[in-house]
Amino acid sequence: QQQVKQSPQSLIVQKGGISIINCAYENTAFDYFPWYQQFPGKGPALLIAIRPDVSEKKEGRFTISFNKSAKQFSLHIMDSQPGDSATYFCAADNDMRFGAGTRLTVKP
Amino acid sequence: DGGITQSPKYLFRKEGQNVTLSCEQNLNHDAMYWYRQDPGQGLRLIYYSQIVNDFQKGDIAEGYSVSREKKESFPLTVTSAQKNPTAFYLCASSSLEDQPQHFGDGTRLSIL
C-alpha cells in the first residue's frame, strides 16, 4: 500500500547535467515533503524539504518543485557531480512511508 | 555530538535464534522508528514508538518485537519466526510530526 510513488528507479546523468526525480502522493492531508539522500552502507539523511504553501524551494544545487493540484513533487539537482551519486528517497508528511528510491549515478 | 547509534554494524543469525539490534539516540526525540531496507524496495516500516512504554506495528511487524522502556532506547528483536531476516535495518527518530527523521547508520543482518 505505497502512498508515495517515486520514479525513475535508476538514473544515469553526465557530470554537469540536471538530475530530475519525481514523486506522486495520494493523501491530500499531507503537508510536509522531505527528500533524503543515502550513500552505501549509511543511513538516509535529510537533503531538503518543502511544505505545500510554496511551489518551489531551492538550497544550493538542489531544488524541490511542488504541484499541489497534481499531487506531485520533484527533486532537481543542477550541475550534477559524481559526489551526488547516491540513492534518493522522497517521503510525504511524517507518514513513515517512503518512495521506493532512485539510484542516481553521475558519470564524470 | 547528537545522533543515533545502531549496533552492531554487522550481525549473523543462526537458524532458530533470536537476535536483538540496538538503537540509542541522544537527540531527546519522542518518536523512534525501525525500518527494513531490501534492494529495490526502499524503506518499509516495522515498528514505531511515539512515547515511552508504547509502540505500534508498522507494515511488516510479523516476526519482530520491540520495547521502549527508556526514551533514548528502542531495541528491535528479530525472532526465529521471521523466516527471511536478511536485510539492512535502519533506526530513526524524530521530534514532532512533520519534522525530518534522523537515521542511524544501520545494522546488516545475515543468516549463517
Side-chain angles (χ1 to χ4, degrees):
Chain A
Q1 88 222 53
Q2 191 175 12
Q3 294 193 21
V4 180
K5 296 183 179 180
Q6 183 173 346
S7 62
Q9 189 172 13
S10 63
L11 181 62
I12 299 174
V13 174
Q14 289 296 127
K15 178 182 176 181
I18 302 173
S19 304
I20 302 174
I21 305 170
N22 301 298
C23 278
Y25 62 98
E26 299 172 358
N27 190 336
T28 56
F30 291 159
D31 63 358
Y32 178 67
F33 301 91
W35 283 92
Y36 292 85
Q37 179 188 55
Q38 184 182 28
F39 294 104
K42 297 291 186 179
L46 179 69
L47 184 64
I48 186 172
I50 196 169
R51 297 190 186 275
D53 52 345
V54 297
S55 60
E56 185 176 282
K57 182 175 181 180
K58 184 176 181 179
E59 291 183 1
R61 296 184 294 109
F62 301 92
T63 300
I64 299 179
S65 297
F66 185 81
N67 186 330
K68 189 173 182 177
S69 61
K71 293 188 287 184
Q72 295 176 346
F73 58 109
S74 60
L75 175 69
H76 295 236
I77 306 174
M78 311 299 288
D79 188 26
S80 299
Q81 299 296 313
D84 297 329
S85 297
T87 299
Y88 294 81
F89 294 96
C90 62
D93 209 42
N94 201 4
D95 193 51
M96 299 163 281
R97 288 185 173 86
F98 291 75
T102 296
R103 178 175 287 185
L104 172 65
T105 303
V106 181
K107 291 192 174 291
Chain B
D1 286 336
I4 296 183
T5 301
Q6 289 188 244
S7 62
K9 191 169 181 65
Y10 300 95
L11 188 59
F12 298 91
R13 198 192 86 170
K14 296 179 181 179
E15 291 290 337
Q17 184 181 45
N18 295 351
V19 291
T20 297
L21 285 60
S22 171
C23 179
E24 303 277 334
Q25 55 103 355
N26 61 5
L27 299 167
N28 199 32
H29 286 167
D30 290 308
M32 296 187 74
Y33 314 84
W34 274 105
Y35 294 91
R36 172 178 170 142
Q37 186 173 29
D38 295 283
Q41 294 196 41
L43 304 174
R44 292 186 290 167
L45 182 67
I46 304 172
Y47 269 98
Y48 67 101
S49 168
Q50 295 181 319
I51 194 169
V52 174
N53 292 323
D54 188 47
F55 47 83
Q56 284 76 42
K57 294 181 179 180
D59 297 326
I60 56 166
E62 186 175 350
Y64 301 96
S65 66
V66 294
S67 63
R68 186 90 185 275
E69 298 177 1
K70 298 186 300 181
K71 186 176 183 178
E72 303 79 20
S73 178
F74 191 40
L76 173 73
T77 296
V78 184
T79 75
S80 58
Q82 173 49 246
K83 298 306 180 186
N84 184 25
T86 298
F88 189 50
Y89 291 87
L90 287 161
C91 178
S93 71
S94 67
S95 57
L96 298 168
E97 288 188 4
D98 302 345
Q99 293 297 319
Q101 295 189 27
H102 296 252
F103 286 84
D105 279 340
T107 293
R108 189 166 299 278
L109 176 62
S110 302
I111 295 295
L112 281 179

